[in-house]
Amino acid sequence: MIATIPEPASLVGTFLRLDPMTSDDHPGLFNAIATPDVFAGGYGGGPAGLPRDLDAFTRFAAGYFNQGTNRSFTIRLIGGGDADGLIVGTSTLGDFDEANEHAHLGWTAYSPTVWGSAVNSEAKLLLLGLAFDSGFGRVKIQADERNERSRAAIAGIGATFEGLIRRDKRRADGTWRTTAQFSVILDDWPDVRAHLEARLSRQVGPVVPRPS
C-alpha cells in the first residue's frame, strides 16, 4: 500500500470525536489547554510560551497548528451526558514522509480535567489507525525529556522508546529541549491496537471531566 496523506475528515470513536481544527475552535481550545499545568510539561515551548488571553492563543494557534500538510484535530467528548460536545484537547498527525512511510503523531494536549481518563487511549487509537490505514509504516511520538507524565503516557500505550535527541528544539524561554522519542511501527500495530481497545473496554459510560 502506498502511503498517502489523509484528507481532512472527522474521526469518531465511542467517547471522542476528532474534527479537523478550524479557527472557530480556538475559544474552546483556549479554555481547555491554555493552562499552566499543560504548558509546564513543555507543550508549546514550555511555560514561557503560555498564551495569556484568547487573542494571544489565536496567534499561537495560527503558527502552531495546521502547518503545511499537517492534519490537526480538535478533540470533543461524545456519548451523552452534560459534557457532550465539550472540547477537551487537540492532537495532530503530520510531518508526513510518504516515500519512507513516516508520520508524526504530536502537538497533543488535553485539558487536565480529563488526564488519566479514556481520552488519550481513544485519541491515540483513532490517530494511529488513520496513519496505518493511510499506508504509513512508522509513527513517531515525542515529548520533552522533562515531561515524565507524557513520557509515561506514551510508553503506556505500547510505543517503543528509541532514545533521547539532545538539543533538539528551542523552548520559548530560549533554552534547548532534549526530546524523548518513541515510535509505533506497522509490525507493532496489532498488539498496540489490542492493548488500547482493552483499556477502552474498561470505560463505563461517557468520559466525565473532573471539576477544574
Side-chain angles (χ1 to χ4, degrees), residues 21 42 100 116 118 173 188:
M21 186 188 297
N100 290 307
D173 64 2
D188 305 329

Side-chain angles (χ1 to χ4, degrees), residues 110-188:
Y110 307 116
S111 166
T113 64
V114 296
W115 287 359
S117 73
V119 167
N120 184 55
S121 292
E122 185 153 74
K124 290 296 191 291
L125 179 67
L126 292 169
L127 289 167
L128 287 168
L130 176 62
F132 293 120
D133 288 347
S134 299
F136 291 91
R138 168 184 164 80
V139 180
K140 71 177 179 182
I141 309 174
Q142 299 180 326
D144 191 310
E145 177 192 27
R146 299 174 178 176
N147 193 336
E148 295 182 3
R149 182 188 58 81
S150 288
R151 292 179 63 176
I154 296 168
I157 70 167
T160 296
F161 177 60
E162 296 182 326
L164 299 175
I165 305 172
R166 299 184 300 165
R167 208 175 190 272
D168 182 40
K169 297 177 181 178
R170 193 185 293 275
R171 299 186 181 97
D173 64 2
T175 63
W176 286 92
R177 157 178 150 164
T178 292
T179 295
Q181 182 158 299
F182 299 76
S183 71
V184 179
I185 65 172
L186 186 60
D187 308 68
D188 305 329

Side-chain angles (χ1 to χ4, degrees), residues 5-162:
I5 298 173
E7 293 297 322
S10 295
L11 305 174
V12 182
T14 302
F15 310 107
L16 304 177
R17 187 177 76 245
L18 278 60
D19 296 318
M21 186 188 297
T22 72
S23 59
D24 290 341
D25 299 331
H26 291 169
L29 287 166
F30 173 71
N31 291 334
I33 66 172
T35 73
D37 286 343
V38 170
F39 279 71
Y43 190 73
L50 173 64
R52 298 301 177 181
D53 55 33
L54 179 56
D55 286 343
F57 183 84
T58 298
R59 293 191 297 271
F60 161 79
Y64 197 66
F65 303 116
N66 291 316
Q67 300 178 45
T69 58
N70 285 4
R71 300 295 185 239
S72 293
F73 294 88
T74 297
I75 301 172
R76 292 177 167 87
L77 298 180
I78 60 172
D82 293 340
D84 194 79
L86 179 69
I87 292 175
V88 294
T90 178
S91 194
T92 295
L93 199 63
D95 286 351
F96 297 109
D97 179 345
E98 296 162 277
N100 290 307
E101 301 178 355
H102 293 176
H104 178 188
L105 201 175
W107 301 268
T108 301
Y110 307 116
S111 166
T113 64
V114 296
W115 287 359
S117 73
V119 167
N120 184 55
S121 292
E122 185 153 74
K124 290 296 191 291
L125 179 67
L126 292 169
L127 289 167
L128 287 168
L130 176 62
F132 293 120
D133 288 347
S134 299
F136 291 91
R138 168 184 164 80
V139 180
K140 71 177 179 182
I141 309 174
Q142 299 180 326
D144 191 310
E145 177 192 27
R146 299 174 178 176
N147 193 336
E148 295 182 3
R149 182 188 58 81
S150 288
R151 292 179 63 176
I154 296 168
I157 70 167
T160 296
F161 177 60
E162 296 182 326

